Amino acid sequence: MDFNLDETRQALRGLAAELLAREAAPERLESFEKSGITYDTVTWKALAQAGLLGVVLPEEVGGAGLGPVELTVILREIGAHVAPVPAYASLALAALPIARHGTAAQRALLGPLVEGDTVLTGAYREVGPAGLVAATARPDGDGYVLDGVKTFVPYAAEAARILIPARVDGAGVGVFLVEPAAATVTAHPSATTEPLSRVELTGVRVGTDALLGGVADGAAWDTLRRSAVSGAVALSSGVIEGALKITTEYVKTREQFERALAQFQAVTMQIGDVYIAKRALDVAVWAGAWRFAEDAPDTDEVLAIASYNACDPVVKALYTCQHLHGGIGLDVTYPLHRYFAWAKHSGHLLGGAEDQLDTLGALVAQEA
């Protein structure tokens, strides 16, 4: 496997990095956090105008028709700049599954996303292990009746549609496009400024046209959960890269006893540990994205490895970054706190390290 990005993906990364360095500069983030709004609409529109929101959207709605690897490139840069935009929710949790499995009418819902005129999201989590689907969809006449509770749903109140996985009587897991007004949306606490919600569905009735792709064979759910995991670990990969960059610069310039911190062996060893955690996650992230794009049989196993690294070693590495900064690492006027919050946030979305070890163990046992 070649982990080097090809020319097209390098150009995509360069474009995203350049745009976000300008639009998500620390002073801009400070201003946003004081505004009280849910996401940075200026940066969101800038991403749309640069064509970055259309990367994984179908060509028929003005997108580029690309896939998980390209989405990983974009989300990784968003994580590296901790840009407060609904890209993970709209692209990983909604656009990619709709693009792969949606009917023509469902894919048409992606049109406004190309211009940054809408937000979409998906409900990947429920109470319990990551990937659990206890919500139900009961066929009723010319539609379905949905019941269940989803948790940690980003931008649920702001979204035009929420993708809801549910078990269909007599079939498998289907994914339904539900309007937020049809459900009870309650705000969750969040480690970042990103809004999270609990979404309760009690007898919510939808038509047959709400079922993604018109079938409940589990394929759309497989794409949604893999895209959810792949996107979250991509964000985490970018977050630790951004935090390492800040910390490396700090220890090179901060002096104690008339010596730069980087000249102390203990500091060098600790910054090395952060780099190792970053590289371990990077390898798993790119391997998982590539396998997801190729529908490889070991996709879930590799994504579980990436998830564990995002939930445990990378979070510990962020503690190290804060420690190396001393007291300033906890100061909310210094940018490092955002990276720590984002790393914790990704870990919550993924379900935590123990849950990922359980998932990985179950997958290995299946192969035994």
Side-chain angles (χ1 to χ4, degrees), residues 60-111:
E60 71 234 41
V61 298
L66 301 178
V69 176
E70 291 76 17
L71 179 56
T72 296
V73 171
I74 293 172
L75 292 179
R76 205 170 169 280
E77 288 302 321
I78 286 173
H81 294 85
V82 287
V85 291
Y88 171 70
S90 294
L91 301 180
L93 296 182
L96 192 58
I98 293 173
R100 278 196 174 190
H101 302 281
T103 63
Q106 291 166 345
R107 290 197 300 273
L109 295 172
L110 300 175

Side-chain angles (χ1 to χ4, degrees), residues 310-330:
C311 292
D312 190 81
V314 161
V315 173
K316 291 177 179 175
L318 262 297
Y319 277 106
T320 301
C321 289
Q322 286 195 324
H323 172 71
L324 290 173
H325 275 84
I328 196 173
L330 298 174

Side-chain angles (χ1 to χ4, degrees), residues 173-229:
V173 176
V175 176
F176 296 84
L177 281 71
V178 177
E179 295 184 12
T184 301
V185 178
T186 308
H188 261 321
S190 172
T192 69
T193 58
E194 179 175 78
L196 289 178
S197 297
R198 176 184 186 269
V199 177
E200 182 175 356
L201 303 108
T202 305
V204 174
R205 182 175 178 80
V206 295
T208 54
D209 59 344
L211 178 59
L212 189 59
V215 294
D217 58 1
W221 164 233
D222 285 343
T223 295
L224 172 55
R225 63 181 178 79
R226 288 172 177 169
S227 187
V229 174

